[in-house]
Amino acid sequence: EIQQALINAGYDSLMKGFSGDGAFGRLSRLARNTFKVDNDLGDPDICDKATVEKLLRLSINDFSYIYPPIRYGDRDFISTIPIAAKQTALSTQDYKTLAKEFDIEEPAIRAVVEVESAGSGFLIKEPAPARPKILFEAHIFYRETPKPVSKTRPDLSSRKWNKALYKGGSGEWGRLIDAMAFDPAAALRSASCGLGQIMGFNHKRAGCSTVEQLVIEAHQDEAAQLRHMLNFCKTDGRLIPALKKKDWDTFARYYNGESYKKNNYHKRLAASYAKWKKRLL
């Protein structure tokens, strides 16, 4: 944790690209000692409580979008992850807070989360820190970038939607990171993210000023992801009223598309709402 905090605090150049493995060697000591001298934290060779607390504060404040990706373990990330980040699942209080904020019944919100997220907004099979669930859309990337990516990487850029291009799960991150090598912002706009699978190009509808903000917040916790989803619904004009009325056909049609009946989204939403309504009585 101290090694990663030093990297997050900007001392990675002293560590010469070293990603941190728990073995605190010469380069780690050099970075720590320099950090202590820079911050007037006393004896450089002692890693005391004040040093650790200062490092953690800097790490939390340095939660940011970054490209090229950085490594945590064996995985690539495009956001630095604070040491203190919990990446928490939705809590009972989160549901109550958001239900009140958007004036929607809690069982209705729980139903949407249950049907749309398949259990989590994070790739929970990955060791912590986990990346948010994403789907990279090659046909959107084709639209979003003027570069002729389709000529060399037709798996990343396709004129038409092609289900066969999906890799699913963690594999979608590999596709996104490959696309970012061509055009980082366009690649982010071409991926859906989090509990509600909000497309990057819809970041403003999700309440974010930039697509980078959407990605950064999606790394933090599921409450941020759900707020993105509800903000998106609020801008539509049909989705929030449908949730309030429990009009699952309308909600499914405008959130999932015209083919929603093929996947029984409306029936699954109704059944989930009935279950949560009974459970929360």
Side-chain angles (χ1 to χ4, degrees):
E1 289 185 351
I2 292 170
Q3 286 172 326
Q4 191 58 61
L6 286 164
I7 292 170
N8 290 354
Y11 290 80
D12 50 316
S13 60
L14 294 174
M15 300 174 76
K16 298 180 180 178
F18 177 65
S19 61
D21 63 359
F24 212 78
R26 179 179 62 84
L27 296 178
S28 297
R29 291 197 300 275
L30 174 62
R32 178 202 61 201
N33 293 359
T34 304
F35 170 79
K36 291 204 67 173
V37 170
D38 289 349
N39 290 275
D40 297 320
L41 289 167
D43 190 337
D45 288 319
I46 298 175
C47 194
D48 54 9
K49 181 179 179 181
T51 302
V52 173
E53 289 180 346
K54 178 76 171 181
L55 269 172
L56 292 179
R57 284 198 298 274
L58 284 177
S59 295
I60 292 169
N61 292 336
D62 194 41
F63 190 89
S64 59
Y65 161 80
I66 184 169
Y67 188 80
I70 55 174
R71 299 283 288 179
Y72 286 92
D74 61 350
R75 287 168 291 127
D76 288 321
F77 281 76
I78 56 176
S79 288
T80 55
I81 311 298
I83 300 302
K86 300 295 185 183
Q87 294 189 303
T88 51
L90 283 161
S91 67
T92 299
Q93 187 56 53
D94 289 331
Y95 278 112
K96 293 183 181 302
T97 298
L98 290 167
K100 183 176 181 180
E101 179 179 335
F102 288 88
D103 191 25
I104 304 169
E105 278 189 55
E106 182 182 338
I109 294 180
R110 285 183 176 271
V112 172
V113 169
E114 184 171 69
V115 172
E116 294 293 336
S117 70
S120 176
F122 288 103
L123 293 165
I124 55 178
K125 291 184 178 180
E126 293 186 347
R131 294 172 294 189
K133 287 180 179 177
I134 65 167
L135 272 181
F136 180 75
E137 302 289 358
H139 66 294
I140 302 297
F141 192 52
Y142 184 93
R143 182 191 74 190
E144 289 289 324
T145 176
K147 299 179 182 180
V149 181
S150 59
K151 293 183 179 180
T152 56
R153 292 294 302 271
D155 57 321
L156 299 179
S157 179
S158 173
R159 186 184 296 272
K160 296 181 180 180
W161 178 78
N162 183 354
K163 185 178 180 180
L165 297 179
Y166 292 139
K167 291 188 176 181
S170 300
E172 291 298 308
W173 273 93
R175 298 178 68 218
L176 172 60
I177 289 168
D178 283 354
M180 290 179 75
F182 292 95
D183 191 327
L188 292 176
R189 291 195 299 269
S190 304
S192 58
C193 188
L195 281 169
Q197 286 298 286
I198 302 299
M199 287 298 304
F201 65 78
N202 278 322
H203 61 272
K204 290 187 177 180
R205 293 183 62 186
C208 300
S209 58
T210 64
V211 67
E212 289 87 353
Q213 181 185 347
L214 177 76
V215 174
I216 290 168
E217 291 182 358
H219 276 78
Q220 296 185 60
D221 53 45
E222 288 185 350
Q225 295 178 16
L226 180 54
R227 180 169 276 106
H228 293 160
M229 183 182 186
L230 292 173
N231 280 333
F232 174 85
C233 291
K234 191 174 181 179
T235 64
D236 181 89
R238 297 164 295 194
L239 294 172
I240 295 294
L243 282 179
K244 290 183 177 182
K245 296 176 183 176
K246 273 67 74 178
D247 180 353
W248 303 116
D249 278 272
T250 298
F251 182 84
R253 178 181 296 109
Y254 293 111
Y255 197 85
N256 301 109
E258 293 296 330
S259 62
Y260 72 97
K261 288 186 178 180
K262 293 181 181 178
N263 296 304
N264 287 318
Y265 276 120
H266 57 312
K267 293 180 180 179
R268 290 158 58 192
L269 286 163
S272 181
Y273 170 77
K275 178 188 74 175
W276 283 109
K277 183 74 171 177
K278 183 177 180 181
R279 187 175 296 181
L280 294 172
L281 283 176

